[in-house]
Amino acid sequence: MHALSIPTWIVHISSVLEWMAAIWFVQQLHRRRPQEGWGWLAWAMLPALVSAMCACTWHYFDNAADLAWLVDLQAILTFVGNCTLCLAAAGLWWRGRQRLVP
């Protein structure tokens, strides 16, 4: 656990907590407006959250060489998360656009 300084740990952990809160808020928005596709955005945020958890786990174990696969998993989940977020955002944009066009 000595791989990172205390301020860096604070940033890592607060980022994970903030991302969890953002997913919760988007899910609440989906419950109020389910027809607009906010639920897809909440699901699309999960790969990025798991990616951040992979980074925290690897650092927690002092960047152990036998856990280096977490770095690869983090990279893959970051890519997947960026793609799913892009698709979910495009879906929200498309639905919003459809409502504006008579």
Side-chain angles (χ1 to χ4, degrees):
M1 190 159 152
H2 305 314
L4 301 178
S5 67
I6 298 295
T8 306
W9 271 115
I10 291 170
V11 170
H12 274 62
I13 293 170
S14 65
S15 295
V16 169
L17 295 174
E18 288 168 0
W19 200 248
M20 291 169 68
I23 292 172
W24 185 81
F25 284 122
V26 170
Q27 188 61 34
Q28 296 307 308
L29 185 58
H30 169 67
R31 287 185 180 156
R32 293 177 188 260
R33 302 164 92 174
Q35 70 280 5
E36 294 181 19
W38 290 102
W40 288 112
L41 183 63
W43 281 106
M45 295 170 80
L46 286 177
L49 174 63
V50 176
S51 172
M53 290 176 169
C54 286
C56 288
T57 302
W58 191 57
H59 291 316
Y60 180 79
F61 290 104
D62 290 327
N63 303 341
D66 47 333
L67 293 178
W69 59 271
L70 282 172
V71 177
D72 297 330
L73 181 59
Q74 179 194 8
I76 291 167
L77 289 172
T78 298
F79 175 75
V80 170
N82 289 345
C83 292
T84 57
L85 283 168
C86 180
L87 291 171
L92 285 171
W93 174 78
W94 185 257
R95 283 183 182 89
R97 190 169 180 247
Q98 293 297 331
R99 283 185 301 150
L100 296 176
V101 176

